[in-house]
Amino acid sequence: MAVLKVIEVLSSSTVSWEDATRKAVAHAAKSLKNIRSVYVQDQSASVKDNEVTEFRVNLKLTFEIE
């Protein structure tokens, strides 16, 4: 039996929502082992001068506790 934990992570990128998600997982992987899945709960973007300047994601990251 595995014990899993879910944490909420916020991330942003100037490129895309996918890039923001990848950055969140890569950063979390520096201190967490056994990441199993990621669920993007919410997406938003910042706009300046009628252009999107930043993509933001709020996601839930699931990992196994050893």
Side-chain angles (χ1 to χ4, degrees):
M1 180 175 108
V3 176
L4 303 175
K5 184 171 183 174
V6 178
I7 61 171
E8 191 168 339
V9 179
L10 305 173
S11 182
S12 64
S13 168
T14 58
V15 178
S16 67
W17 285 295
E18 291 85 0
D19 187 53
T21 302
R22 286 187 181 96
K23 284 183 176 182
V25 172
H27 189 73
K30 292 178 183 177
S31 60
L32 299 174
K33 296 180 182 177
N34 304 318
I35 296 174
R36 294 286 181 94
S37 67
V38 62
Y39 169 73
V40 178
Q41 184 174 354
D42 192 27
Q43 298 175 321
S44 63
S46 294
V47 176
K48 184 176 181 180
D49 297 326
N50 297 323
E51 299 228 1
V52 174
T53 58
E54 184 179 51
F55 299 88
R56 298 176 183 164
V57 292
N58 179 352
L59 52 89
K60 295 199 181 220
L61 191 127
T62 304
F63 61 99
E64 183 177 347
I65 298 176
E66 296 178 343

mmCIF file of all heavy atoms in Angstrom, residues 18-66:
data_model
loop_
_atom_site.group_PDB
_atom_site.id
_atom_site.type_symbol
_atom_site.label_atom_id
_atom_site.label_comp_id
_atom_site.label_asym_id
_atom_site.label_seq_id
_atom_site.Cartn_x
_atom_site.Cartn_y
_atom_site.Cartn_z
ATOM 1 N N GLU A 18 1.676 25.495 -20.152
ATOM 2 C CA GLU A 18 2.409 24.231 -20.114
ATOM 3 C C GLU A 18 3.810 24.434 -19.528
ATOM 4 O O GLU A 18 4.281 23.627 -18.731
ATOM 5 C CB GLU A 18 2.513 23.621 -21.517
ATOM 6 C CG GLU A 18 1.197 23.129 -22.067
ATOM 7 C CD GLU A 18 0.373 24.219 -22.748
ATOM 8 O OE1 GLU A 18 0.807 25.403 -22.801
ATOM 9 O OE2 GLU A 18 -0.731 23.905 -23.210
ATOM 10 N N ASP A 19 4.450 25.527 -19.916
ATOM 11 C CA ASP A 19 5.775 25.825 -19.382
ATOM 12 C C ASP A 19 5.702 26.098 -17.880
ATOM 13 O O ASP A 19 6.561 25.649 -17.126
ATOM 14 C CB ASP A 19 6.387 27.018 -20.117
ATOM 15 C CG ASP A 19 7.831 27.274 -19.722
ATOM 16 O OD1 ASP A 19 8.645 26.328 -19.785
ATOM 17 O OD2 ASP A 19 8.146 28.429 -19.339
ATOM 18 N N ALA A 20 4.680 26.800 -17.449
ATOM 19 C CA ALA A 20 4.505 27.064 -16.019
ATOM 20 C C ALA A 20 4.318 25.758 -15.252
ATOM 21 O O ALA A 20 4.859 25.583 -14.156
ATOM 22 C CB ALA A 20 3.310 27.989 -15.790
ATOM 23 N N THR A 21 3.579 24.814 -15.831
ATOM 24 C CA THR A 21 3.371 23.509 -15.198
ATOM 25 C C THR A 21 4.680 22.740 -15.109
ATOM 26 O O THR A 21 5.019 22.170 -14.065
ATOM 27 C CB THR A 21 2.324 22.694 -15.980
ATOM 28 O OG1 THR A 21 1.106 23.442 -16.024
ATOM 29 C CG2 THR A 21 2.083 21.351 -15.343
ATOM 30 N N ARG A 22 5.435 22.720 -16.197
ATOM 31 C CA ARG A 22 6.729 22.024 -16.196
ATOM 32 C C ARG A 22 7.688 22.632 -15.179
ATOM 33 O O ARG A 22 8.425 21.918 -14.490
ATOM 34 C CB ARG A 22 7.344 22.067 -17.595
ATOM 35 C CG ARG A 22 6.676 21.136 -18.565
ATOM 36 C CD ARG A 22 7.414 21.082 -19.897
ATOM 37 N NE ARG A 22 6.728 20.204 -20.803
ATOM 38 C CZ ARG A 22 5.850 20.611 -21.731
ATOM 39 N NH1 ARG A 22 5.597 21.898 -21.871
ATOM 40 N NH2 ARG A 22 5.256 19.745 -22.517
ATOM 41 N N LYS A 23 7.692 23.960 -15.068
ATOM 42 C CA LYS A 23 8.554 24.632 -14.089
ATOM 43 C C LYS A 23 8.162 24.242 -12.669
ATOM 44 O O LYS A 23 9.027 24.022 -11.818
ATOM 45 C CB LYS A 23 8.460 26.152 -14.246
ATOM 46 C CG LYS A 23 9.214 26.695 -15.424
ATOM 47 C CD LYS A 23 9.106 28.210 -15.448
ATOM 48 C CE LYS A 23 9.926 28.808 -16.567
ATOM 49 N NZ LYS A 23 9.857 30.284 -16.557
ATOM 50 N N ALA A 24 6.874 24.168 -12.400
ATOM 51 C CA ALA A 24 6.406 23.794 -11.059
ATOM 52 C C ALA A 24 6.865 22.389 -10.695
ATOM 53 O O ALA A 24 7.361 22.150 -9.589
ATOM 54 C CB ALA A 24 4.886 23.891 -10.986
ATOM 55 N N VAL A 25 6.714 21.443 -11.620
ATOM 56 C CA VAL A 25 7.120 20.056 -11.357
ATOM 57 C C VAL A 25 8.635 19.981 -11.180
ATOM 58 O O VAL A 25 9.131 19.321 -10.257
ATOM 59 C CB VAL A 25 6.633 19.121 -12.479
ATOM 60 C CG1 VAL A 25 7.214 17.725 -12.309
ATOM 61 C CG2 VAL A 25 5.111 19.067 -12.497
ATOM 62 N N ALA A 26 9.384 20.651 -12.035
ATOM 63 C CA ALA A 26 10.850 20.618 -11.938
ATOM 64 C C ALA A 26 11.330 21.208 -10.619
ATOM 65 O O ALA A 26 12.235 20.662 -9.977
ATOM 66 C CB ALA A 26 11.469 21.370 -13.112
ATOM 67 N N HIS A 27 10.719 22.294 -10.188
ATOM 68 C CA HIS A 27 11.133 22.923 -8.934
ATOM 69 C C HIS A 27 10.758 22.039 -7.738
ATOM 70 O O HIS A 27 11.560 21.865 -6.819
ATOM 71 C CB HIS A 27 10.502 24.304 -8.804
ATOM 72 C CG HIS A 27 11.038 25.101 -7.671
ATOM 73 N ND1 HIS A 27 12.288 25.667 -7.695
ATOM 74 C CD2 HIS A 27 10.511 25.399 -6.467
ATOM 75 C CE1 HIS A 27 12.500 26.303 -6.556
ATOM 76 N NE2 HIS A 27 11.426 26.140 -5.783
ATOM 77 N N ALA A 28 9.546 21.476 -7.761
ATOM 78 C CA ALA A 28 9.109 20.600 -6.669
ATOM 79 C C ALA A 28 9.988 19.350 -6.590
ATOM 80 O O ALA A 28 10.274 18.851 -5.494
ATOM 81 C CB ALA A 28 7.647 20.205 -6.862
ATOM 82 N N ALA A 29 10.436 18.852 -7.736
ATOM 83 C CA ALA A 29 11.253 17.636 -7.772
ATOM 84 C C ALA A 29 12.615 17.832 -7.101
ATOM 85 O O ALA A 29 13.267 16.850 -6.748
ATOM 86 C CB ALA A 29 11.444 17.173 -9.208
ATOM 87 N N LYS A 30 13.022 19.060 -6.883
ATOM 88 C CA LYS A 30 14.286 19.317 -6.182
ATOM 89 C C LYS A 30 14.202 18.895 -4.719
ATOM 90 O O LYS A 30 15.215 18.553 -4.114
ATOM 91 C CB LYS A 30 14.656 20.794 -6.281
ATOM 92 C CG LYS A 30 15.024 21.234 -7.678
ATOM 93 C CD LYS A 30 15.324 22.715 -7.706
ATOM 94 C CE LYS A 30 15.617 23.190 -9.120
ATOM 95 N NZ LYS A 30 15.838 24.644 -9.181
ATOM 96 N N SER A 31 12.993 18.936 -4.141
ATOM 97 C CA SER A 31 12.860 18.584 -2.727
ATOM 98 C C SER A 31 11.892 17.425 -2.478
ATOM 99 O O SER A 31 11.814 16.925 -1.363
ATOM 100 C CB SER A 31 12.415 19.802 -1.914
ATOM 101 O OG SER A 31 11.179 20.283 -2.373
ATOM 102 N N LEU A 32 11.145 16.997 -3.483
ATOM 103 C CA LEU A 32 10.197 15.893 -3.323
ATOM 104 C C LEU A 32 10.606 14.716 -4.193
ATOM 105 O O LEU A 32 11.074 14.902 -5.315
ATOM 106 C CB LEU A 32 8.788 16.327 -3.738
ATOM 107 C CG LEU A 32 8.143 17.471 -2.975
ATOM 108 C CD1 LEU A 32 6.820 17.835 -3.626
ATOM 109 C CD2 LEU A 32 7.942 17.099 -1.517
ATOM 110 N N LYS A 33 10.403 13.525 -3.662
ATOM 111 C CA LYS A 33 10.656 12.306 -4.434
ATOM 112 C C LYS A 33 9.321 11.677 -4.808
ATOM 113 O O LYS A 33 8.296 11.938 -4.188
ATOM 114 C CB LYS A 33 11.469 11.307 -3.603
ATOM 115 C CG LYS A 33 12.851 11.785 -3.249
ATOM 116 C CD LYS A 33 13.559 10.738 -2.427
ATOM 117 C CE LYS A 33 14.937 11.233 -2.012
ATOM 118 N NZ LYS A 33 15.609 10.260 -1.158
ATOM 119 N N ASN A 34 9.353 10.847 -5.817
ATOM 120 C CA ASN A 34 8.198 10.028 -6.202
ATOM 121 C C ASN A 34 6.963 10.842 -6.577
ATOM 122 O O ASN A 34 5.841 10.519 -6.173
ATOM 123 C CB ASN A 34 7.847 9.033 -5.089
ATOM 124 C CG ASN A 34 9.006 8.158 -4.717
ATOM 125 O OD1 ASN A 34 9.730 7.689 -5.580
ATOM 126 N ND2 ASN A 34 9.204 7.939 -3.431
ATOM 127 N N ILE A 35 7.141 11.892 -7.357
ATOM 128 C CA ILE A 35 5.992 12.651 -7.847
ATOM 129 C C ILE A 35 5.213 11.753 -8.797
ATOM 130 O O ILE A 35 5.781 11.160 -9.714
ATOM 131 C CB ILE A 35 6.438 13.954 -8.538
ATOM 132 C CG1 ILE A 35 7.114 14.871 -7.517
ATOM 133 C CG2 ILE A 35 5.247 14.645 -9.195
ATOM 134 C CD1 ILE A 35 7.733 16.121 -8.111
ATOM 135 N N ARG A 36 3.923 11.643 -8.555
ATOM 136 C CA ARG A 36 3.093 10.725 -9.332
ATOM 137 C C ARG A 36 2.239 11.429 -10.381
ATOM 138 O O ARG A 36 2.038 10.923 -11.473
ATOM 139 C CB ARG A 36 2.158 9.943 -8.398
ATOM 140 C CG ARG A 36 2.870 9.001 -7.459
ATOM 141 C CD ARG A 36 3.363 7.786 -8.246
ATOM 142 N NE ARG A 36 4.038 6.836 -7.394
ATOM 143 C CZ ARG A 36 3.455 5.801 -6.819
ATOM 144 N NH1 ARG A 36 2.184 5.598 -6.969
ATOM 145 N NH2 ARG A 36 4.172 4.982 -6.080
ATOM 146 N N SER A 37 1.683 12.594 -10.030
ATOM 147 C CA SER A 37 0.795 13.260 -10.981
ATOM 148 C C SER A 37 0.668 14.735 -10.640
ATOM 149 O O SER A 37 1.050 15.179 -9.561
ATOM 150 C CB SER A 37 -0.597 12.608 -10.981
ATOM 151 O OG SER A 37 -1.233 12.836 -9.734
ATOM 152 N N VAL A 38 0.135 15.449 -11.602
ATOM 153 C CA VAL A 38 -0.132 16.866 -11.417
ATOM 154 C C VAL A 38 -1.504 17.162 -12.030
ATOM 155 O O VAL A 38 -1.838 16.649 -13.102
ATOM 156 C CB VAL A 38 0.984 17.746 -12.039
ATOM 157 C CG1 VAL A 38 1.088 17.545 -13.519
ATOM 158 C CG2 VAL A 38 0.791 19.202 -11.710
ATOM 159 N N TYR A 39 -2.311 17.924 -11.297
ATOM 160 C CA TYR A 39 -3.639 18.301 -11.756
ATOM 161 C C TYR A 39 -3.693 19.818 -11.809
ATOM 162 O O TYR A 39 -3.544 20.483 -10.777
ATOM 163 C CB TYR A 39 -4.704 17.753 -10.804
ATOM 164 C CG TYR A 39 -6.082 18.315 -11.038
ATOM 165 C CD1 TYR A 39 -6.831 17.933 -12.148
ATOM 166 C CD2 TYR A 39 -6.631 19.232 -10.160
ATOM 167 C CE1 TYR A 39 -8.092 18.455 -12.362
ATOM 168 C CE2 TYR A 39 -7.896 19.758 -10.370
ATOM 169 C CZ TYR A 39 -8.615 19.372 -11.473
ATOM 170 O OH TYR A 39 -9.864 19.894 -11.695
ATOM 171 N N VAL A 40 -3.860 20.367 -12.996
ATOM 172 C CA VAL A 40 -3.945 21.824 -13.139
ATOM 173 C C VAL A 40 -5.355 22.229 -12.742
ATOM 174 O O VAL A 40 -6.327 21.923 -13.426
ATOM 175 C CB VAL A 40 -3.603 22.279 -14.573
ATOM 176 C CG1 VAL A 40 -3.753 23.783 -14.684
ATOM 177 C CG2 VAL A 40 -2.190 21.848 -14.943
ATOM 178 N N GLN A 41 -5.439 22.913 -11.614
ATOM 179 C CA GLN A 41 -6.726 23.286 -11.047
ATOM 180 C C GLN A 41 -7.246 24.589 -11.644
ATOM 181 O O GLN A 41 -8.441 24.750 -11.855
ATOM 182 C CB GLN A 41 -6.578 23.437 -9.535
ATOM 183 C CG GLN A 41 -7.850 23.734 -8.810
ATOM 184 C CD GLN A 41 -7.640 23.733 -7.307
ATOM 185 O OE1 GLN A 41 -6.588 23.408 -6.810
ATOM 186 N NE2 GLN A 41 -8.659 24.109 -6.585
ATOM 187 N N ASP A 42 -6.339 25.518 -11.937
ATOM 188 C CA ASP A 42 -6.765 26.834 -12.396
ATOM 189 C C ASP A 42 -5.678 27.439 -13.275
ATOM 190 O O ASP A 42 -4.486 27.219 -13.031
ATOM 191 C CB ASP A 42 -7.021 27.733 -11.181
ATOM 192 C CG ASP A 42 -7.743 29.006 -11.522
ATOM 193 O OD1 ASP A 42 -8.495 29.026 -12.511
ATOM 194 O OD2 ASP A 42 -7.548 29.998 -10.804
ATOM 195 N N GLN A 43 -6.085 28.188 -14.271
ATOM 196 C CA GLN A 43 -5.161 28.902 -15.142
ATOM 197 C C GLN A 43 -5.592 30.364 -15.200
ATOM 198 O O GLN A 43 -6.785 30.653 -15.226
ATOM 199 C CB GLN A 43 -5.184 28.341 -16.567
ATOM 200 C CG GLN A 43 -4.752 26.916 -16.677
ATOM 201 C CD GLN A 43 -4.913 26.392 -18.096
ATOM 202 O OE1 GLN A 43 -5.879 26.704 -18.776
ATOM 203 N NE2 GLN A 43 -3.970 25.589 -18.532
ATOM 204 N N SER A 44 -4.616 31.251 -15.245
ATOM 205 C CA SER A 44 -4.906 32.672 -15.418
ATOM 206 C C SER A 44 -3.730 33.315 -16.133
ATOM 207 O O SER A 44 -2.691 32.685 -16.330
ATOM 208 C CB SER A 44 -5.155 33.352 -14.062
ATOM 209 O OG SER A 44 -3.996 33.295 -13.267
ATOM 210 N N ALA A 45 -3.920 34.567 -16.524
ATOM 211 C CA ALA A 45 -2.850 35.271 -17.233
ATOM 212 C C ALA A 45 -2.870 36.737 -16.847
ATOM 213 O O ALA A 45 -3.930 37.300 -16.545
ATOM 214 C CB ALA A 45 -3.023 35.122 -18.737
ATOM 215 N N SER A 46 -1.701 37.353 -16.878
ATOM 216 C CA SER A 46 -1.576 38.790 -16.662
ATOM 217 C C SER A 46 -1.520 39.474 -18.017
ATOM 218 O O SER A 46 -0.908 38.963 -18.963
ATOM 219 C CB SER A 46 -0.293 39.115 -15.898
ATOM 220 O OG SER A 46 -0.354 38.601 -14.598
ATOM 221 N N VAL A 47 -2.149 40.633 -18.100
ATOM 222 C CA VAL A 47 -2.187 41.377 -19.355
ATOM 223 C C VAL A 47 -1.666 42.787 -19.105
ATOM 224 O O VAL A 47 -2.025 43.433 -18.119
ATOM 225 C CB VAL A 47 -3.624 41.440 -19.916
ATOM 226 C CG1 VAL A 47 -3.685 42.288 -21.168
ATOM 227 C CG2 VAL A 47 -4.159 40.041 -20.176
ATOM 228 N N LYS A 48 -0.798 43.250 -20.013
ATOM 229 C CA LYS A 48 -0.287 44.616 -19.958
ATOM 230 C C LYS A 48 -0.269 45.167 -21.382
ATOM 231 O O LYS A 48 0.222 44.499 -22.292
ATOM 232 C CB LYS A 48 1.118 44.642 -19.355
ATOM 233 C CG LYS A 48 1.658 46.041 -19.174
ATOM 234 C CD LYS A 48 3.001 46.019 -18.477
ATOM 235 C CE LYS A 48 3.483 47.448 -18.289
ATOM 236 N NZ LYS A 48 4.773 47.487 -17.628
ATOM 237 N N ASP A 49 -0.814 46.346 -21.554
ATOM 238 C CA ASP A 49 -0.884 46.981 -22.868
ATOM 239 C C ASP A 49 -1.519 46.047 -23.906
ATOM 240 O O ASP A 49 -1.041 45.906 -25.034
ATOM 241 C CB ASP A 49 0.506 47.426 -23.344
ATOM 242 C CG ASP A 49 1.121 48.487 -22.431
ATOM 243 O OD1 ASP A 49 0.353 49.318 -21.893
ATOM 244 O OD2 ASP A 49 2.348 48.471 -22.259
ATOM 245 N N ASN A 50 -2.608 45.399 -23.504
ATOM 246 C CA ASN A 50 -3.383 44.503 -24.373
ATOM 247 C C ASN A 50 -2.617 43.276 -24.848
ATOM 248 O O ASN A 50 -2.958 42.669 -25.860
ATOM 249 C CB ASN A 50 -3.948 45.265 -25.580
ATOM 250 C CG ASN A 50 -4.915 46.348 -25.155
ATOM 251 O OD1 ASN A 50 -5.674 46.155 -24.206
ATOM 252 N ND2 ASN A 50 -4.874 47.471 -25.828
ATOM 253 N N GLU A 51 -1.576 42.886 -24.135
ATOM 254 C CA GLU A 51 -0.811 41.687 -24.471
ATOM 255 C C GLU A 51 -0.642 40.823 -23.226
ATOM 256 O O GLU A 51 -0.425 41.338 -22.128
ATOM 257 C CB GLU A 51 0.566 42.073 -25.001
ATOM 258 C CG GLU A 51 0.494 42.898 -26.262
ATOM 259 C CD GLU A 51 1.424 42.390 -27.329
ATOM 260 O OE1 GLU A 51 2.115 41.385 -27.102
ATOM 261 O OE2 GLU A 51 1.447 43.003 -28.391
ATOM 262 N N VAL A 52 -0.711 39.520 -23.408
ATOM 263 C CA VAL A 52 -0.473 38.593 -22.295
ATOM 264 C C VAL A 52 1.012 38.632 -21.954
ATOM 265 O O VAL A 52 1.860 38.453 -22.823
ATOM 266 C CB VAL A 52 -0.911 37.154 -22.659
ATOM 267 C CG1 VAL A 52 -0.515 36.190 -21.560
ATOM 268 C CG2 VAL A 52 -2.406 37.099 -22.915
ATOM 269 N N THR A 53 1.296 38.893 -20.685
ATOM 270 C CA THR A 53 2.692 39.000 -20.251
ATOM 271 C C THR A 53 3.131 37.845 -19.364
ATOM 272 O O THR A 53 4.329 37.595 -19.224
ATOM 273 C CB THR A 53 2.924 40.315 -19.495
ATOM 274 O OG1 THR A 53 2.033 40.366 -18.369
ATOM 275 C CG2 THR A 53 2.692 41.513 -20.394
ATOM 276 N N GLU A 54 2.171 37.157 -18.753
ATOM 277 C CA GLU A 54 2.530 36.073 -17.845
ATOM 278 C C GLU A 54 1.389 35.069 -17.761
ATOM 279 O O GLU A 54 0.226 35.455 -17.646
ATOM 280 C CB GLU A 54 2.815 36.639 -16.452
ATOM 281 C CG GLU A 54 3.277 35.625 -15.449
ATOM 282 C CD GLU A 54 3.564 36.254 -14.093
ATOM 283 O OE1 GLU A 54 2.703 36.985 -13.578
ATOM 284 O OE2 GLU A 54 4.651 35.999 -13.572
ATOM 285 N N PHE A 55 1.736 33.787 -17.837
ATOM 286 C CA PHE A 55 0.779 32.693 -17.687
ATOM 287 C C PHE A 55 0.947 32.108 -16.290
ATOM 288 O O PHE A 55 2.073 31.851 -15.866
ATOM 289 C CB PHE A 55 1.043 31.610 -18.733
ATOM 290 C CG PHE A 55 0.905 32.091 -20.149
ATOM 291 C CD1 PHE A 55 1.982 32.641 -20.823
ATOM 292 C CD2 PHE A 55 -0.316 31.995 -20.797
ATOM 293 C CE1 PHE A 55 1.858 33.081 -22.130
ATOM 294 C CE2 PHE A 55 -0.447 32.433 -22.110
ATOM 295 C CZ PHE A 55 0.637 32.980 -22.771
ATOM 296 N N ARG A 56 -0.164 31.892 -15.601
ATOM 297 C CA ARG A 56 -0.102 31.377 -14.224
ATOM 298 C C ARG A 56 -0.939 30.110 -14.097
ATOM 299 O O ARG A 56 -2.002 30.001 -14.699
ATOM 300 C CB ARG A 56 -0.645 32.418 -13.249
ATOM 301 C CG ARG A 56 0.147 33.688 -13.229
ATOM 302 C CD ARG A 56 -0.512 34.690 -12.329
ATOM 303 N NE ARG A 56 0.215 35.953 -12.354
ATOM 304 C CZ ARG A 56 -0.268 37.095 -11.921
ATOM 305 N NH1 ARG A 56 -1.495 37.158 -11.433
ATOM 306 N NH2 ARG A 56 0.455 38.191 -11.980
ATOM 307 N N VAL A 57 -0.443 29.172 -13.295
ATOM 308 C CA VAL A 57 -1.187 27.951 -13.003
ATOM 309 C C VAL A 57 -1.230 27.721 -11.497
ATOM 310 O O VAL A 57 -0.292 28.045 -10.779
ATOM 311 C CB VAL A 57 -0.588 26.697 -13.689
ATOM 312 C CG1 VAL A 57 -0.759 26.762 -15.187
ATOM 313 C CG2 VAL A 57 0.855 26.493 -13.324
ATOM 314 N N ASN A 58 -2.342 27.203 -11.062
ATOM 315 C CA ASN A 58 -2.519 26.735 -9.696
ATOM 316 C C ASN A 58 -2.762 25.243 -9.844
ATOM 317 O O ASN A 58 -3.729 24.836 -10.485
ATOM 318 C CB ASN A 58 -3.719 27.435 -9.063
ATOM 319 C CG ASN A 58 -3.990 26.986 -7.656
ATOM 320 O OD1 ASN A 58 -3.396 26.044 -7.166
ATOM 321 N ND2 ASN A 58 -4.921 27.641 -7.005
ATOM 322 N N LEU A 59 -1.859 24.426 -9.301
ATOM 323 C CA LEU A 59 -1.988 23.000 -9.535
ATOM 324 C C LEU A 59 -1.852 22.213 -8.250
ATOM 325 O O LEU A 59 -1.353 22.698 -7.238
ATOM 326 C CB LEU A 59 -0.970 22.525 -10.575
ATOM 327 C CG LEU A 59 0.498 22.889 -10.366
ATOM 328 C CD1 LEU A 59 1.200 21.829 -9.548
ATOM 329 C CD2 LEU A 59 1.175 23.046 -11.706
ATOM 330 N N LYS A 60 -2.341 20.977 -8.317
ATOM 331 C CA LYS A 60 -2.208 20.030 -7.206
ATOM 332 C C LYS A 60 -1.220 18.970 -7.650
ATOM 333 O O LYS A 60 -1.369 18.370 -8.716
ATOM 334 C CB LYS A 60 -3.556 19.427 -6.855
ATOM 335 C CG LYS A 60 -4.498 20.487 -6.333
ATOM 336 C CD LYS A 60 -5.632 19.909 -5.574
ATOM 337 C CE LYS A 60 -6.503 21.082 -5.122
ATOM 338 N NZ LYS A 60 -6.988 20.918 -3.801
ATOM 339 N N LEU A 61 -0.226 18.767 -6.822
ATOM 340 C CA LEU A 61 0.856 17.834 -7.126
ATOM 341 C C LEU A 61 0.763 16.661 -6.143
ATOM 342 O O LEU A 61 0.691 16.874 -4.930
ATOM 343 C CB LEU A 61 2.185 18.573 -6.975
ATOM 344 C CG LEU A 61 3.392 17.848 -7.500
ATOM 345 C CD1 LEU A 61 4.111 18.790 -8.452
ATOM 346 C CD2 LEU A 61 4.288 17.441 -6.397
ATOM 347 N N THR A 62 0.750 15.453 -6.675
ATOM 348 C CA THR A 62 0.633 14.249 -5.839
ATOM 349 C C THR A 62 1.965 13.501 -5.841
ATOM 350 O O THR A 62 2.547 13.292 -6.895
ATOM 351 C CB THR A 62 -0.472 13.327 -6.394
ATOM 352 O OG1 THR A 62 -1.690 14.054 -6.464
ATOM 353 C CG2 THR A 62 -0.648 12.107 -5.501
ATOM 354 N N PHE A 63 2.415 13.130 -4.635
ATOM 355 C CA PHE A 63 3.649 12.370 -4.523
ATOM 356 C C PHE A 63 3.514 11.311 -3.450
ATOM 357 O O PHE A 63 2.689 11.408 -2.544
ATOM 358 C CB PHE A 63 4.861 13.286 -4.241
ATOM 359 C CG PHE A 63 4.763 14.063 -2.960
ATOM 360 C CD1 PHE A 63 5.407 13.629 -1.809
ATOM 361 C CD2 PHE A 63 4.036 15.246 -2.901
ATOM 362 C CE1 PHE A 63 5.334 14.338 -0.635
ATOM 363 C CE2 PHE A 63 3.955 15.975 -1.718
ATOM 364 C CZ PHE A 63 4.606 15.513 -0.585
ATOM 365 N N GLU A 64 4.347 10.273 -3.573
ATOM 366 C CA GLU A 64 4.305 9.159 -2.618
ATOM 367 C C GLU A 64 5.235 9.434 -1.455
ATOM 368 O O GLU A 64 6.369 9.874 -1.638
ATOM 369 C CB GLU A 64 4.731 7.858 -3.301
ATOM 370 C CG GLU A 64 4.645 6.654 -2.397
ATOM 371 C CD GLU A 64 5.010 5.368 -3.115
ATOM 372 O OE1 GLU A 64 5.096 5.366 -4.353
ATOM 373 O OE2 GLU A 64 5.202 4.362 -2.409
ATOM 374 N N ILE A 65 4.739 9.180 -0.243
ATOM 375 C CA ILE A 65 5.544 9.324 0.965
ATOM 376 C C ILE A 65 6.203 7.986 1.241
ATOM 377 O O ILE A 65 5.547 6.933 1.242
ATOM 378 C CB ILE A 65 4.677 9.749 2.161
ATOM 379 C CG1 ILE A 65 4.061 11.115 1.877
ATOM 380 C CG2 ILE A 65 5.494 9.776 3.433
ATOM 381 C CD1 ILE A 65 3.108 11.587 2.948
ATOM 382 N N GLU A 66 7.501 8.015 1.461
ATOM 383 C CA GLU A 66 8.244 6.775 1.723
ATOM 384 C C GLU A 66 8.130 6.362 3.176
ATOM 385 O O GLU A 66 8.022 7.143 4.054
ATOM 386 C CB GLU A 66 9.715 6.961 1.368
ATOM 387 C CG GLU A 66 9.912 7.207 -0.101
ATOM 388 C CD GLU A 66 11.368 7.435 -0.454
ATOM 389 O OE1 GLU A 66 12.180 7.708 0.434
ATOM 390 O OE2 GLU A 66 11.673 7.338 -1.640
#
